[in-house]
Amino acid sequence: MSNSTQFELPRLPEYNLTPLPSLLPPIPDKLLTLLLPIAAYWALSLFFHYIDEKDYFSQYRLHTPAEVLKRNHVSRYEVIRDVIIQQVIQTAVGWILGMTEPDDFIGKDQYNVAVWARRIRRAQGALPGILSLLGINALGLAKDLALSHPMLAGALSGGRYSTLSALASVDDNPIKASAFAGWEMVVAHTIYWYLVPVLQFGIAILFVDTWQYFLHRAMHMNKWLYTKFHSRHHRLYVPYAFGALYNHPFEGFLLDTLGASVAFKIAGLSTRQGMWFFTGSTFKTVDDHCGYALPWDPLQHLTSNNAGYHDVHHQSWGIKTNFSQPFFTFWDRILGTVWTGGDVSARYERSRLAAQKKMNADNKISPITQGHMTDNAVQDPKPYRNEIQNATCLQQVPTKDQQPLPPSGKAEYQAAGSREQVLEDPHDGGLRILEEEAEEERRARTELRRSQRKKTATSIAQSDSLKGFRDRVTGSIHGRTGGILGMETSR
């Protein structure tokens, strides 16, 4: 031992690799990665279909069952058929992707943690130089702290821990080698097991959100792309869960399958990480089209991109807004394409309007669409500034058929461009969509007036409060206040 060698860096442990057992034997992980997203899609879709049929949680519906039957312009058979076609394409691409991935092994985790511990040790070497720029003598300070705080002294001296050593073997000869400090191993363990996976998933989510935002937006801004491909998805003016992947096959491949596959590669996800990423993305996509604003649904609250937010995009007045999907809404907010006409919660609750005693704002019901009236005034109208002058077809549409009227400002530009796109697509949209929505608005207002008259007959005291309520409703119809279409102005 007298001739032992002192290594500057601790040695890395040896390892033996063994194949990673499958998560659900006897199904291989690569096959399970293909099957789980499909199973998740139909399981969650059937859950929402079940509560639809049983009329559970109707108070949280964005639309009534009658709207699903009346306003959509595609049969459920066509929706299921096209979803299955997309899932076949998705499975084929996933199989090819799996062939490019190496098999997963276990047994190297301790080695990888030690690699991170070495990186931490090397990083400490820069600490004395950095502190010297601040006028601190790190080596002198380390000498003073050597007895009382040896670990701190080791870090200040650039990662030189004279008291840490371990026995190692080189060519079957025992030697004295440097060892890692306890705190180095704890930090390395945290980085390897937690921070790196979080970063990987974050990169994958960021890429998917970016990929889908710009391609989705292009599908709306280019008339040929919209009418040729994307208009098929917008035959669902009232989205429901198992219609989430109802797309043209080419669009489904480009937006969903290819985007997720590239994200998987760029983020460096393992097969099992990809399994959770693809399955989680599927859950999120289905939930965004479920048609419910369930207060206990975690996916509705993890991000501001939820069923209420995306449902605005499926309406004739919001089709050129709220492009972000499936996770976050930052691209809409950065580039000014988020809906700015305020919250429209009451519009999605027509079946309950007659029974409501107060406006949702008075009941402190949280907005479900993430829209804010203040955005209408403060956000730059670009890229919507030319929408009204370009919306020539709107001049041929009677004013009564252009409801709901948004408040003046950026929302007016957004709604005009959205309705123009509906009119450009006579096969899947057209004037009849605007006429149907106008009729729904008239029915909603009729229910409100009936409710008000009934309350007025109850007592003279209630009459005064209902007069204020009626004024607010009338003001909202003409875009002067939050009201029915805009809800309460954000404070």
Side-chain angles (χ1 to χ4, degrees):
M1 294 295 291
S2 60
N3 296 324
S4 63
T5 303
Q6 177 71 36
F7 285 88
E8 182 179 354
L9 289 174
R11 295 175 59 82
L12 297 175
E14 295 180 354
Y15 61 88
N16 293 309
L17 294 177
T18 56
L20 176 68
S22 60
L23 184 65
L24 193 63
I27 304 174
D29 276 357
K30 290 184 179 180
L31 179 57
L32 193 61
T33 301
L34 303 179
L35 298 178
L36 270 183
I38 297 175
Y41 185 93
W42 292 109
L44 189 58
S45 295
L46 287 175
F47 165 75
F48 283 111
H49 180 69
Y50 177 78
I51 64 176
D52 267 342
E53 294 297 315
K54 296 298 183 178
D55 199 30
Y56 295 145
F57 312 116
S58 58
Q59 68 271 32
Y60 301 121
R61 276 181 172 150
L62 301 180
H63 299 278
T64 62
E67 289 179 274
V68 176
L69 296 175
K70 177 177 178 291
R71 292 184 56 205
N72 287 335
H73 297 273
V74 60
S75 68
R76 296 196 173 188
Y77 164 78
E78 292 174 290
V79 170
I80 294 174
R81 177 200 65 195
D82 284 9
V83 169
I84 292 175
I85 290 174
Q86 176 163 337
Q87 290 180 333
V88 169
I89 296 172
Q90 169 185 302
T91 303
V93 173
W95 183 265
I96 296 172
L97 185 67
M99 293 174 63
T100 68
E101 285 295 304
D103 294 331
D104 290 334
F105 291 87
I106 57 175
K108 197 178 178 181
D109 292 328
Q110 288 185 345
Y111 176 88
N112 291 330
V113 170
V115 168
W116 276 106
R118 266 196 172 188
R119 292 168 179 165
I120 295 170
R121 177 68 63 88
R122 288 194 179 100
Q124 294 171 58
L127 192 56
I130 295 174
L131 292 178
S132 67
L133 296 176
L134 302 175
I136 300 175
N137 184 358
L139 297 179
L141 185 60
K143 185 177 180 180
D144 295 337
L145 296 172
L147 294 178
S148 59
H149 299 85
M151 294 298 102
L152 179 58
L156 290 172
S157 62
R160 294 178 175 86
Y161 297 88
S162 58
T163 60
L164 296 178
S165 63
L167 290 177
S169 176
V170 175
D171 297 329
D172 295 328
N173 296 317
I175 62 171
K176 184 180 180 182
S178 299
F180 291 112
W183 74 268
E184 290 176 315
M185 294 302 294
V186 170
V187 173
H189 184 276
T190 302
I191 292 174
Y192 177 73
W193 286 108
Y194 300 102
L195 297 186
V196 171
V198 167
L199 180 62
Q200 287 177 297
F201 280 107
I203 291 173
I205 288 172
L206 174 63
F207 182 86
V208 166
D209 272 359
T210 302
W211 178 280
Q212 293 210 8
Y213 173 85
F214 286 101
L215 285 178
H216 185 197
R217 180 174 173 178
M219 291 279 183
H220 281 276
M221 296 307 175
N222 183 285
K223 182 177 179 180
W224 181 80
L225 288 175
Y226 180 79
T227 55
K228 184 68 175 179
F229 301 111
H230 192 54
S231 63
R232 179 180 298 200
H233 182 69
H234 280 278
R235 293 175 190 174
L236 290 175
Y237 279 84
V238 180
Y240 47 79
F242 62 83
L245 292 184
Y246 171 64
N247 298 302
H248 187 284
F250 174 73
E251 180 193 350
F253 165 75
L254 184 64
L255 257 71
D256 298 312
T257 304
L258 184 59
S261 300
V262 175
F264 170 81
K265 283 293 190 181
I266 288 178
L269 300 176
S270 66
T271 299
R272 192 160 290 182
Q273 285 176 319
M275 183 191 302
W276 304 125
F277 175 65
F278 296 138
T279 304
S281 299
T282 300
F283 269 122
K284 187 66 171 63
T285 300
V286 172
D287 196 77
D288 287 348
H289 290 81
C290 70
Y292 285 83
L294 299 174
W296 38 262
D297 181 355
L299 294 178
Q300 299 274 339
H301 304 288
L302 288 176
T303 73
S304 57
N305 198 342
N306 51 33
Y309 184 88
H310 189 67
D311 195 85
V312 169
H313 176 73
H314 276 262
Q315 309 311 306
S316 68
W317 39 268
I319 203 171
K320 277 195 172 182
T321 67
N322 291 16
F323 298 122
S324 292
Q325 58 183 46
F327 295 107
F328 296 92
T329 64
F330 57 86
W331 281 121
D332 271 327
R333 301 190 183 280
I334 291 173
L335 298 179
T337 53
V338 66
W339 166 250
T340 62
D343 187 66
V344 289
S345 299
R347 185 168 165 75
Y348 298 101
E349 299 169 0
R350 296 183 183 89
S351 61
R352 299 194 300 139
L353 285 177
Q356 284 182 329
K357 295 181 179 180
K358 296 181 179 181
M359 293 295 294
N360 287 347
D362 293 341
N363 288 334
K364 297 182 180 179
I365 296 179
S366 301
I368 59 176
T369 59
Q370 305 299 328
H372 299 285
M373 288 288 292
T374 52
D375 290 337
N376 190 43
V378 301
Q379 285 198 11
D380 186 353
K382 190 179 181 182
Y384 294 100
R385 61 180 55 177
N386 295 324
E387 295 289 6
I388 289 184
Q389 64 190 55
N390 292 337
T392 54
C393 293
L394 287 177
Q395 299 173 3
Q396 305 171 15
V397 181
T399 302
K400 65 182 180 62
D401 294 330
Q402 295 182 24
Q403 302 295 333
L405 293 175
S408 60
K410 182 175 179 178
E412 184 178 1
Y413 292 86
Q414 291 177 324
S418 297
R419 295 189 186 114
E420 171 67 4
Q421 187 156 79
V422 172
L423 291 169
E424 287 175 349
D425 184 25
H427 181 267
D428 299 325
L431 179 58
R432 60 179 175 165
I433 300 297
L434 300 183
E435 292 174 341
E436 289 171 0
E437 291 202 349
E439 178 60 29
E440 290 163 7
E441 279 300 301
R442 285 192 288 271
R443 287 201 303 270
R445 294 169 192 165
T446 300
E447 292 297 326
L448 277 173
R449 285 193 293 269
R450 290 174 180 172
S451 175
Q452 293 162 6
R453 286 196 295 268
K454 181 177 180 180
K455 293 175 184 177
T456 302
T458 304
S459 68
I460 297 177
Q462 288 183 339
S463 176
D464 292 337
S465 63
L466 283 172
K467 181 179 183 299
F469 176 59
R470 183 165 55 249
D471 291 340
R472 289 162 59 194
V473 172
T474 305
S476 72
I477 293 174
H478 294 285
R480 292 193 296 267
T481 63
I484 292 297
L485 305 182
M487 293 300 291
E488 190 84 355
T489 299
S490 297
R491 292 178 173 83

